[in-house]
Amino acid sequence: MTDTSLNQNIIERVAMGDMLRRRSREDGDKLALVDFPGGQRREYTYAQLNQRANQMAHGLIAKGIQQGEKLALVSSNCSDMFVTYFACYKLGVIVVPINFMQNPDDIRYNLEHSETVAVVYEDILAGVVRPCMSGNENIRLNIQIGSEQGDSDISMEDLIEGQSDDEILDRVIQDRDTAHMIYTSGTTSRPKAVETSHLSLVVAALTGALELDVKKEGCMLLILPLFHCAALSMSFPTLLRSGNIVIHKSFDVEAVLDAVEKDKVDNATLLPMMWNALTSSPGVEQRDLSSFELGIYAMAPMDANSLNRVREVFGCKMHLGSGQTEFAPAACLFMDKSPTEFGEGNYWGRPVSTVEQAVIDDQGNELPQGEIGEIVWRGAQAMSGYYKNPEASAEASLFGWHHSGDLGLIDKEGQLLFVDRKKDTIKSGGENVSSMKVEQSLLSYGGILQAAAFGVPHPHWGEAVCACVVPSGDKELDEEAIIEHCKQELGNFEVPKKVVIAEALPLTGTGKVRKVELRQQYENLFQ
């Protein structure tokens, strides 16, 4: 590598670590992060955050961590997660955020499959992480967040102490180098590692800031976990605009409302159930929520009454953001009060300005409005591929489109309507049955907390529609009554042939139902 090539790369590259350096240079005195370790408020300006990330980067160099190697990050939300992300981005070290709510076998698999050489973990998760590292010969460094070393090789504070805060400008980072690698939730198989490039993340941040009109020096409330792409997809546009992120480890109604009042929060991304809990809080109308301007909901739709209640309480716009780990969110947005052909439904909306969106058939032909097919996208936000899985990578990029694995249609208003996961569609008696449609019918029956519809082998129908439901509270459910209810709302071929009442459903670490386990468990139901 020549000095000329390095200099040219530093000048023109698209790299996530440079984002923080630029914000520190221009807005170093502005507040970047707020979190609450041990219940005490802690603040970092952009200059302080950048300095700490540089010091951690130099600490990792001193411990022999090299560009292109993997560093796993296992923690609940805290400012040192951002420090770790940006230290690695600056070094060209690939961050592997681990969902600690997975079962230990999946955590061990993540660490082994990724070929991680270093692990940064939160002290309270030591009992989860350390057994999963046992016997892993690739791991040569483990770091415990905080000042206590515990059973780790070194504490984060000791790693950083005395290190230079000089910028890391001695290495070429290419636009399509992998910045981080997030494992999918594995609803159908083992989790797959999604390689996301620096270019993908920067374009997603720029697009998010543009599409959502993120305020300069605004304030975002962060509650969704930072090991998930949804949290990162809103954090980076905020940082790009020199905004302040108020970090909470978990969702607490009163703590959220307090934060909006005290820190003048103007935007947040939450799950529908969280928005509903906030608007149901006693005395919420007496709160000063006048700073709040933008609400994002994700993972599921919200009904008109719930949306109106949020608008009434917070006085804000409410947009739905959609995408996936494999296509740095958001790929599309359903903007507040957009016109639709079918009224309510799980609308995903229109593509963001940097993305093409279409619906295609199994031969790669683009389908006209109103026809159901697979949702596909094109754009710089697409993943580079699945790590060590060329077959799945090739399948996801057939016909020159990124395949989402989801089914949908584009209505007469140009809005994308999600129908079902492609692999969750049930083929019964020659008809395609949407598992989501069946689940919506089940959930409209009083007393059902969770519902999952799936197909199992049937000697006559090929596949039979089967459902598993979890009662809410102490509610007693009757299978025949539930099926009769479904007959009033669904076509004959869509009505479940069997409804199993269960205590719980098998879930992934991100709360998605593992239907593959249900199919295996009940595969002989009609044999």
Side-chain angles (χ1 to χ4, degrees), residues 153-165:
D153 295 324
I154 190 170
S155 72
M156 181 177 281
E157 295 308 313
D158 285 342
L159 178 78
I160 289 172
E161 180 68 27
Q163 293 294 339
S164 168
D165 62 1

Side-chain angles (χ1 to χ4, degrees), residues 442-449 472 475-477 482 485:
L442 291 164
L443 290 170
S444 69
Y445 179 85
I448 293 179
L449 178 64
S472 58
K475 178 76 174 182
E476 290 190 10
L477 298 177
I482 294 171
H485 165 80

Side-chain angles (χ1 to χ4, degrees), residues 435-449:
S435 64
M436 176 168 285
K437 184 178 180 182
V438 177
E439 288 159 6
Q440 288 172 340
S441 176
L442 291 164
L443 290 170
S444 69
Y445 179 85
I448 293 179
L449 178 64

Side-chain angles (χ1 to χ4, degrees), residues 244-283:
N244 170 30
I245 301 175
V246 178
I247 305 166
H248 284 204
K249 282 187 176 291
S250 59
F251 177 71
D252 177 270
V253 171
E254 296 308 311
V256 169
L257 295 172
D258 287 345
V260 175
E261 284 191 305
K262 293 177 182 177
D263 285 289
K264 304 303 178 186
V265 170
D266 59 68
N267 77 89
T269 301
L270 302 173
L271 303 180
M273 58 181 278
M274 295 175 178
W275 286 115
N276 290 335
L278 291 172
T279 57
S280 300
S281 174

Side-chain angles (χ1 to χ4, degrees), residues 445-509:
Y445 179 85
I448 293 179
L449 178 64
Q450 292 176 298
F454 51 96
V456 295
H458 192 282
H460 178 70
W461 300 108
E463 274 192 315
V465 180
C466 185
C468 204
V469 299
V470 176
S472 58
D474 297 327
K475 178 76 174 182
E476 290 190 10
L477 298 177
D478 178 77
E479 180 188 6
E480 291 186 6
I482 294 171
I483 291 175
E484 189 60 37
H485 165 80
C486 290
K487 287 180 179 178
Q488 308 305 312
E489 297 193 345
L490 302 171
N492 289 337
F493 65 94
E494 297 170 317
V495 175
K497 302 287 190 295
K498 179 72 177 176
V499 175
V500 178
I501 299 168
E503 293 183 0
L505 299 179
L507 303 175
T508 68

